[in-house]
Amino acid sequence: MREVLSALHVTGFLGDTRGWYAPDRGGTLREEVPLVAEAALLASLRTAMQVGEFRAAGLLLPELGHPQSEVAGALLDILALEQQGDTQGALTRLQRWSAPSQLSEWRREAVHALVLHSKPGGG
């Protein structure tokens, strides 16, 4: 999909979809992500999340360049650790994770669940 979008962009089929901008009217010029490429990236992220491929989603996330990508990426890393069976690693990372205020209650419950799960005979 990305190759198709890149080819369409290079040939000019999508029109002028790239530009340069300076964040907050200062600093270094950055290249913006074309809208179509961003849409394809978001679709890939959604698919990875739906099928439980948290590690893959975490690798795609930084490409968006969103200011909150790091916070979401840390959560995806925690989910991937738990998925791989590293309950202690997931617990350690979750306890150190600075969760947004909207997720603080979920984080508390998740820590409690991982503590129970990591005990012998826990499940």
Side-chain angles (χ1 to χ4, degrees):
M1 178 71 164
R2 289 180 137 180
E3 289 79 11
V4 171
L5 291 173
S6 294
L8 289 174
H9 177 70
V10 168
T11 60
F13 181 80
L14 301 174
D16 187 19
T17 57
R18 261 187 207 270
W20 294 86
Y21 72 101
D24 300 322
R25 298 180 184 243
T28 318
L29 288 177
R30 288 183 36 187
E31 188 175 7
E32 68 181 4
V33 177
L35 177 62
V36 176
E38 188 174 278
L41 181 57
L42 287 170
S44 297
L45 271 166
R46 180 175 182 242
T47 300
M49 293 295 295
Q50 285 177 329
V51 299
E53 291 291 340
F54 303 122
R55 179 78 178 123
L59 293 173
L60 289 170
L61 192 61
E63 292 185 40
L64 279 178
H66 190 278
Q68 296 296 319
S69 292
E70 190 174 313
V71 173
L75 178 57
L76 289 171
D77 289 344
I78 292 165
L79 292 171
L81 285 171
E82 197 279 330
Q83 188 177 52
Q84 295 165 3
D86 185 359
T87 308
Q88 189 57 46
L91 178 59
T92 302
R93 293 282 307 270
L94 186 59
Q95 289 171 328
R96 288 186 291 162
W97 182 55
S98 298
S101 60
Q102 302 91 331
L103 294 178
S104 60
E105 183 63 25
W106 174 87
R107 181 182 169 272
R108 187 185 65 73
E109 290 177 17
V111 166
H112 180 68
L114 282 174
V115 166
L116 291 176
H117 183 66
S118 64
K119 291 182 178 180

